[in-house]
């Protein structure tokens, strides 16, 4: 029919195949091709039934998300699926949709406009639009409840998680699971339907499941209230529920109109633009400018992890979860046992929660070989080093490794602060050394900052990026500097949080303001969770680098002097009860009062807006330096680091995107104001100034352009 959609015939069954690699998105041309094919098959008297199938690795991954940006920026863009879906549904000949890979978003909507659906067992269906800040816009909120019931439709549209084919069969979304060849199975199924005769089953005309028990006012109220908590700051989740409610109250055609109104509102929202930025951003960070495409990857078949503490244990779990066996080395039997017990406890918890079965846990544990020696290190392809933080120890360990591993073994340090080049200098092969900076808890957090040293080779960088994907992490390549990208920005963020407390903001008010902004957790609660002593130790080690006369906060150092390290000692910024519930603590007020006395600070009322601006713009200002220095490759890399590793809200797109959304002139003016009022920490980053003055955006800035400016 066109290059993207082909129509063939197997006897009396027409086969429509979509060929729009890599994921058969419904890009311009695809819906038109499907429509023309259905019409042609409908008119062909030799055709009795139709099968629609995806060519390549998947059915249809959804509408073409690239079109959305064009639509909202007025640069064209097309998204017109209704005509094709109507043609499919109204086709008088039975139309069977054959699903493999994913039928997501517009893909599932297309499938539901068919009369029947068959799928291979490994297929997945879903309405993930909410993860892009939108709702299904091609009838998903109207057809899905008719097939699967209202409660399932709410779950799928308001949360967006994929549903495996066997579950989809149970829900009534899919009619049959096909064993063996999908096309052959779909054709056979279609023939059965043809043989049965009768009019095709139109999803839009089904109504039995719309009056499921539980569909009362209170059901939707409860669903909205739950989504308000679980999908904080994402109006699309509420809109999806509204649209499904419309399906229960309005005729199909009117429900479709209501869905379209809500879809438009969501599409043009800042949240949606931010979430679409995050979607493409996660894929963009995998592309490293300057890294030759043909670069050879080192095979990673076996790994060793040094240190079975907080991080080493989690890192080992990541490897074995990906099927890579691990030698786990500690310095004493006691440390090794403690580390292994923690891993076992974590896995047992997952089994208890039903995430996987006991045999899976046993398999994973069996992939870990505990050891106190370097025996077997000559067999591993990578060593992940996670011993205590300290340059002397790291160098000692890297020198030891040099003697026991093969020349082609990657040496990856999990250091959070130390200079990768100096660590690499202890080895005779600095080109094999790189930073793999995981985030705590390492088995949960998705971010992996990959820190490139001066000498890290292209092969080691490319292998690390590939490994991140295998470990199901988002790998972001950054340059080497104190704190790398994420923690270097987090320093000023937490500094401002402390200073605000010293100036008079209540500890819980600071947390509440950032939580309301959308952060997973406020800065004080985060500090208490990670341990205030971590920063305290680092500050002591780097005291000599402090800028004389600058206004450093005293609060956390004082809390640590008192043994208040956070949750692990039962008290930090808050006091924690036996259930780990936090409470404000007058002791902390006393500490802050003392600091005010010592520093001559007049306590003042501080509003939410100042709290948020000071913390978020502290991130942005440092981010601008990091970008200009080339520590981050692009602004989007910083955004993804914050989204995947620091609990920054996806609907704000990351700190740099957020600043672009606010407007860099406005951000810059506020930074200048803080600079005048609060001193040298707030000196505006040159890039922020430049872009504010030229009306530019971080997202559009590239290094070459910037250097020319
Ligand atoms: N539109 C445009 N491009 C898409 C796309 C889409 N729907 N889905 C994936 N792509 C692109 C990716 O950007 C990537 O491009 P790149 O190679 O240039 O970086 C390429 O396809 C491959 O994607 P992945 O790297 O993500 O491939 P995976 O195999 O890891 O994952 C997937 C495949 C699970 C389908 C995943 O891509 C995905 O989740 N895609 C988005 C699904 C989605 O959100 N669909 C709903 C769209 S909105 C919609 O349909 C609205 C409708 O209701 C009207
Ligand atoms: P930890 O104190 O929990 O664990 C360190 C482990 O290393 C201990 O079990 C210790 O016995 C072991 N060890 C020490 N010397 C060893 C040696 N020579 N051989 C084998 N094992 C040895 O520390 P944590 O928190 O796991 O930190 C490890 C590294 O990860 C540090 O570099 C730290 O900066 C970094 N990191 C820590 C994060 C965190 O949140 N805790 C986050 C990201 C990085």
């Amino acid at each position: 029919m066109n290059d993207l959609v082909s129509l063939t015939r197997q006897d009396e069954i027409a086969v429509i195949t979509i060929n729009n690699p890599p994921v058969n998105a419904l890009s311009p041309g695809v819906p038109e091709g499907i429509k023309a094919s259905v019409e042609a098959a409908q008119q062909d008297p030799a055709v009795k039934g139709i099968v629609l199938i995806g060519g390549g690795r998947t059915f249809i991954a959804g509408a073409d998300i690239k079109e959305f940006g064009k639509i909202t920026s007025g640069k064209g863009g097309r998204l017109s699926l209704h005509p094709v879906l109507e043609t499919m549904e109204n086709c008088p000949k039975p139309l069977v949709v054959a699903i493999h890979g994913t039928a997501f978003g517009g893909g599932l909507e297309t499938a539901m406009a068919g009369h029947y659906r068959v799928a291979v067992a490994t297929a997945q269906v879903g309405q993930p639009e909410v993860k892009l800040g939108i709702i299904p816009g091609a009838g998903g909120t109207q057809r899905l409840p008719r097939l699967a019931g209202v409660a399932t439709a709410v779950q799928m549209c308001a949360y967006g998680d994929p549903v495996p084919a066997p579950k989809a069969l149970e829900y009534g979304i899919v009619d049959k699971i096909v064993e063996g060849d999908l096309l052959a199975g779909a054709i056979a199924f279609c023939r059965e339907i043809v043989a049965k005769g009768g009019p095709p089953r139109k999803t839009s005309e089904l109504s039995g499941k719309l009056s499921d028990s539980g569909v009362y006012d209170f059901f939707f109220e409860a669903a909205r209230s739950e989504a308000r908590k679980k999908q904080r700051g994402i109006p699309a989740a509420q809109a999806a529920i509204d649209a499904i409610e419309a399906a229960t109250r309005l005729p199909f055609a009117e429900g479709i109109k209501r869905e379209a109104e809500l879809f438009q509102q969501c599409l043009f929202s800042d949240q949606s633009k931010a979430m679409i930025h995050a979607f493409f951003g996660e894929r963009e960070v995998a592309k490293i400018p300057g890294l030759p495409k043909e670069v050879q990857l080192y095979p990673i078949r076996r790994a060793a992890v040094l240190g079975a503490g907080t991080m080493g244990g989690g890192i080992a779990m990541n490897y074995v979860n990906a099927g890579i066996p691990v030698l786990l080395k500690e310095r004493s039997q006691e440390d090794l046992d403690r580390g292994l017990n923690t891993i076992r406890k974590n896995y047992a918890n997952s089994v208890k929660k039903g995430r996987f079965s006991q045999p899976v846990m046993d398999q994973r544990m069996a992939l870990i070989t505990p050891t106190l020696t370097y025996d077997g290190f000559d067999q591993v392809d990578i060593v992940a080093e996670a011993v205590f933080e300290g340059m002397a120890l790291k160098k000692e360990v890297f020198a030891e490794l040099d003697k026991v591993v093969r020349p082609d073994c990657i040496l990856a340090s999990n250091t959070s602060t130390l200079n990768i080049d100096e660590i690499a200098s202890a080895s005779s092969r600095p080109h094999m050394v790189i930073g793999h900076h995981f985030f705590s808890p390492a088995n949960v957090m998705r971010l992996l900052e990959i820190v490139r040293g001066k000498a890290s080779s292209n092969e080691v960088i490319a292998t690390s990026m590939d490994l991140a994907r295998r470990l199901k992490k988002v790998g972001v390549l950054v340059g080497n500097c104190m704190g790398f990208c994420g923690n270097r920005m987090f320093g000023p963020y937490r500094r401002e949080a402390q200073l605000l407390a010293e100036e008079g903001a209540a500890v819980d008010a600071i947390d509440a303001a950032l939580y309301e902004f959308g952060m997973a957790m406020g800065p004080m609660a985060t500090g208490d969770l990670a341990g205030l002593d971590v920063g305290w130790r680092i500050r002591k080690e780097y005291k000599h680098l402090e800028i004389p006369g600058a206004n450093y906060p005293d609060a956390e150092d004082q809390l640590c002097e008192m043994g208040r390290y956070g949750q692990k000692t039962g008290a930090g910024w808050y006091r924690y009860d036996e259930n780990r519930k936090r409470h404000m603590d007058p002791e902390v007020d006393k500490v802050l009062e003392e600091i005010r006395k010592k520093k001559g600070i007049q306590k003042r009322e501080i509003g939410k807006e100042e709290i948020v601006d000071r913390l978020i713009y502290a991130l942005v200002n440092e981010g601008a330096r990091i970008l200009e220095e080339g520590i981050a490759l692009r602004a989007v890399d910083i955004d993804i680091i914050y989204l995947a590793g620091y609990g920054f809200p996806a609907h704000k797109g990351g700190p740099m995107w957020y600043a672009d959304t606010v407007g860099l002139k406005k951000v810059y003016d506020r930074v200048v104001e803080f600079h005048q009022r609060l001193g040298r920490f707030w000196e505006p980053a040159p890039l922020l100034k430049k872009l504010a003055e030229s009306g530019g955006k971080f997202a559009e800035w590239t290094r070459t352009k910037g250097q020319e400016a």
Side-chain angles (χ1 to χ4, degrees), residues 320-382:
V320 298
N321 292 350
I324 303 170
V326 164
L327 276 176
L328 182 59
K329 180 181 179 302
E330 256 294 348
R331 44 182 192 151
S332 74
Q333 191 60 45
E334 199 189 336
D335 290 310
L336 197 50
D337 292 343
R338 185 184 28 77
L340 279 170
N341 276 337
T342 308
I343 295 176
R344 210 172 284 119
K345 233 173 33 206
N346 283 337
Y347 277 142
N349 256 334
S350 295
V351 171
K352 218 161 57 194
K353 288 185 182 152
R355 289 201 192 112
F356 47 78
S357 62
Q358 184 66 42
V360 170
M361 163 171 168
D362 297 343
Q363 269 165 20
R364 292 187 184 177
M365 286 306 296
L367 284 177
I368 302 177
T369 308
T371 179
L372 294 174
T373 72
Y374 283 118
D375 288 352
F377 271 57
D378 56 344
Q379 302 292 314
V380 302
D381 305 305
I382 186 165

Side-chain angles (χ1 to χ4, degrees), residues 493-511 523-524 551 553-556 559 573-574 584 588-596 599 601-606 610-611 614-615:
Y493 172 87
R494 297 210 66 263
R495 175 198 71 216
E496 288 305 307
Q498 292 187 64
L499 289 174
L500 281 161
E502 291 180 1
E503 288 164 37
V507 170
D508 57 353
I510 299 172
D511 274 348
M524 307 330 222
N551 181 23
D554 288 344
E556 285 187 357
L559 294 174
W573 280 106
Y574 297 94
M584 289 286 277
V588 174
D589 293 330
K590 267 193 232 153
V591 170
L592 294 168
E593 199 49 62
E594 281 301 312
I595 293 172
R596 280 194 277 277
K599 289 187 170 175
I601 298 170
Q602 190 67 37
K603 185 175 180 181
R604 65 187 175 96
E605 290 278 322
I606 302 177
E610 176 174 347
I611 295 174
R614 289 232 337 237
L615 268 71

Side-chain angles (χ1 to χ4, degrees), residues 3-6 15-25 30 34 51-61 97-102 182-183:
D3 289 349
L4 301 167
V5 182
S6 67
V15 177
I16 303 173
T17 310
I18 305 156
N19 286 305
N20 184 26
V23 293
N24 287 332
V30 175
I34 300 174
V51 167
L52 173 67
I53 192 166
R57 68 193 220 209
T58 188
F59 179 61
I60 299 174
V97 177
I99 302 171
H100 72 300
T102 49
L182 175 63
L183 180 59

Side-chain angles (χ1 to χ4, degrees), residues 393-440:
L393 175 63
K394 300 276 187 199
K395 280 176 131 173
E396 185 187 313
V397 162
F398 272 70
E400 282 171 14
L401 285 170
D402 209 34
K403 296 191 198 111
V404 294
V405 300
R406 290 193 322 263
D408 60 347
C409 174
I410 296 179
L411 302 177
S413 174
N414 186 46
T415 178
S416 42
T417 53
L418 300 172
N419 187 329
I420 287 291
D421 292 330
E422 195 177 340
I423 295 177
S425 73
S427 141
S428 67
R429 56 184 99 188
H431 62 286
M432 297 304 292
V433 176
I434 194 158
H436 282 187
H437 183 208
F438 288 84
F439 287 70
S440 182

